[in-house]
């Protein structure tokens, strides 16, 4: 059997992933009316653990009700949401996969299907709406920022109690943290805006708050939009320059996505295989921090090359795993990698 990087272990703090394939966070909008995980989530996420992923990550999990992308989002804003997630965490781990939660706040992109018209008013760094037809959000005061940061801390505590192996902070795709980071959306004149240091302060404080309740031996990842794809927006150079600072605050890996800060079509080439991989490669090389590549990763050989060329340490796979929960098993066969199959499926092993 062949030696592969894709099916080699990866250690992040105390956690050792059995391979380098991560189920990318993808919203399903099927939480119950109180933001709790259901049998759907157990089967959906659990089947990808059975299918051989090294790590399973939830969809965006809101840290407070007004931070939901839709009313069908998962949440960790109250203790009643802990037990349903813990059940999924235990099952995924029993199948050999690590289980993590992506903590998120949509900010001005809350209640996306209705363009911000939800059960609670949306909030943001300023009153600028996401796009035409969107309801303008309410600008956060300095005092209210403290409340939101505390919500992240409490959600992380609940993630710990839900037996999660790792947390990913959602700082991408035009959601609240990204809204603070990007000069396109952050026009504040207090200490949370005005300069690159000011724009990054909210993220730094959220990271510190999470680390207060998330033990030092557990990984903390960060999803970023490494570029806004527009003039005057965030660039990959800013994340390269800040990678060391993020590591010192307790971030262990950057999950490198892009875009989402404005409502415009994706850039040319955004449907090309691996179009965001160069972002992960540049940050890994210049920033000296582990990265995860994401975006149109669909084939075993492609994933193996990304790792072999040291463009990233992990690959996050989304739509391909929606279509085929056993994609990792198929990749192992294609690469000739020796991996352990679920005992119940051995008669199908090729």
């Amino acid at each position: 059997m062949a030696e592969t990087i894709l099916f080699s272990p990866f250690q992040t703090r105390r956690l050792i992933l059995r391979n380098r394939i991560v189920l990318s966070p993808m919203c399903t909008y099927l939480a119950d009316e109180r933001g709790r995980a259901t049998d759907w989530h157990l089967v959906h996420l659990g089947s990808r653990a059975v299918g051989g992923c090294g790590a399973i990550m939830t969809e965006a999990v809101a840290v407070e009700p007004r931070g939901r992308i839709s009313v069908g989002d998962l949440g960790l804003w109250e203790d009643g949401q802990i037990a349903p997630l813990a059940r999924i965490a235990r099952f995924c781990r029993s199948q050999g996969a690590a289980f993590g939660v992506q903590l998120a706040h949509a900010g001005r992109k809350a209640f996306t299907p209705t363009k911000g018209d939800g059960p609670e008013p949306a909030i943001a760094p300023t009153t600028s709406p996401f796009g035409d037809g969107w309801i303008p959000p309410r600008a956060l005061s300095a005092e209210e920022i403290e409340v939101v940061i505390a919500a992240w801390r409490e959600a992380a505590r609940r993630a710990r109690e839900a037996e999660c192996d790792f947390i990913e902070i959602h700082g991408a795709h035009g959601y609240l943290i990204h809204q603070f980071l990007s000069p396109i959306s952050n026009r504040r004149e207090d200490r949370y805006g005005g300069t690159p240091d000011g724009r990054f302060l909210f993220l730094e404080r959220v990271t510190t708050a999470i680390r207060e309740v998330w033990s030092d031996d557990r990984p903390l990842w960060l999803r970023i939009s490494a570029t806004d794809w527009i003039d005057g927006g965030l660039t990959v150079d800013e994340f390269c320059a800040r990678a060391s600072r993020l590591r010192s605050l307790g971030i262990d890996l950057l999950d490198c996505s892009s875009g989402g800060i404005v409502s415009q079509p994706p850039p040319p080439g955004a449907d090309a295989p691996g179009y965001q991989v160069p972002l992960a490669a540049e940050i890994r090389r210049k920033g000296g921090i582990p990265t995860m590549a994401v975006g149109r990763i669909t084939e075993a050989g492609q994933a193996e090359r990304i790792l072999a060329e040291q463009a990233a340490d992990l690959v996050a796979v989304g739509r391909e795993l929606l279509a085929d929960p056993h994609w990792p098993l198929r990749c192992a066969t294609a690469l000739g990698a020796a991996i352990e199959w679920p005992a119940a499926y051995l008669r199908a092993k090729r």
Side-chain angles (χ1 to χ4, degrees), residues 243-303:
S244 177
R245 170 64 175 165
L246 292 172
R247 289 203 78 170
S248 71
L249 291 170
I251 297 294
D252 301 299
L253 176 142
L254 294 183
D255 177 2
C256 300
S257 190
S258 64
I261 199 63
V262 294
S263 57
Q264 67 178 32
D271 58 348
Y275 73 100
Q276 295 175 140
V277 172
L279 303 172
E282 187 169 357
I283 290 173
R284 187 180 189 275
R285 183 177 69 255
K286 294 181 179 179
I289 189 170
T291 61
M292 179 157 62
V294 63
R296 303 292 185 179
I297 299 171
T298 61
E299 298 293 338
Q302 175 197 17

Side-chain angles (χ1 to χ4, degrees), residues 6 29 33 57-58 79 86 95 121 124 128 138 143 154 157 172 199 203 207 209 220 231 235 241 262 267 288 293 337:
L6 187 61
Y29 313 112
E33 69 281 356
M57 200 183 322
T58 67
D79 287 354
Q95 302 305 306
S128 173
R138 186 169 56 78
E143 294 75 19
E154 285 302 292
R157 174 188 63 79
R199 290 188 283 104
L203 168 60
T207 301
L220 180 59
D231 291 341
T235 68
V262 294

Side-chain angles (χ1 to χ4, degrees), residues 69 107-122 133-136:
I69 301 167
R108 71 180 187 177
K109 288 179 76 174
F111 314 115
T112 294
T114 53
K115 295 189 174 183
D117 184 12
E120 300 174 65
W134 282 72
I135 294 175

Side-chain angles (χ1 to χ4, degrees), residues 130-153:
F130 173 60
D132 293 342
W134 282 72
I135 294 175
R138 186 169 56 78
L140 287 164
S141 68
E143 294 75 19
E144 289 172 319
I145 287 174
E146 299 299 323
V147 173
V148 178
I149 291 171
W152 285 84
R153 182 190 298 110

Side-chain angles (χ1 to χ4, degrees), residues 129-255:
F130 173 60
D132 293 342
W134 282 72
I135 294 175
R138 186 169 56 78
L140 287 164
S141 68
E143 294 75 19
E144 289 172 319
I145 287 174
E146 299 299 323
V147 173
V148 178
I149 291 171
W152 285 84
R153 182 190 298 110
E154 285 302 292
R157 174 188 63 79
R158 295 184 184 103
R160 185 191 68 213
E161 295 183 16
E163 306 172 38
C164 295
D165 296 304
F166 64 95
I167 287 174
E168 178 172 274
I169 300 170
H170 199 343
H173 300 166
Y175 299 128
L176 185 61
I177 288 177
H178 188 187
Q179 290 160 31
F180 273 93
L181 292 175
S182 177
I184 300 298
S185 50
N186 186 349
R187 303 299 175 88
R188 295 179 72 98
E189 297 180 355
D190 63 0
R191 68 187 187 120
Y192 289 101
T195 66
D197 285 345
R199 290 188 283 104
F200 272 77
L201 179 60
F202 181 72
L203 168 60
E204 292 188 0
R205 293 205 55 213
V206 166
T207 301
T208 299
I210 290 174
R211 272 291 173 206
E212 290 172 357
V213 297
W214 190 244
S215 58
D216 287 342
D217 61 349
R218 298 188 187 212
L220 180 59
W221 300 351
L222 170 65
R223 173 163 274 196
I224 60 171
S225 282
T227 174
D228 284 334
W229 297 118
I230 55 175
D231 291 341
L234 281 173
T235 68
V236 70
D237 290 338
E238 290 191 65
F239 289 102
C240 292
R242 292 194 176 267
S244 177
R245 170 64 175 165
L246 292 172
R247 289 203 78 170
S248 71
L249 291 170
I251 297 294
D252 301 299
L253 176 142
L254 294 183
D255 177 2

Side-chain angles (χ1 to χ4, degrees), residues 36-47:
R36 296 171 299 190
T38 67
D39 288 347
W40 162 267
H41 298 91
L42 174 65
V43 174
H44 167 62
L45 298 171
S47 62

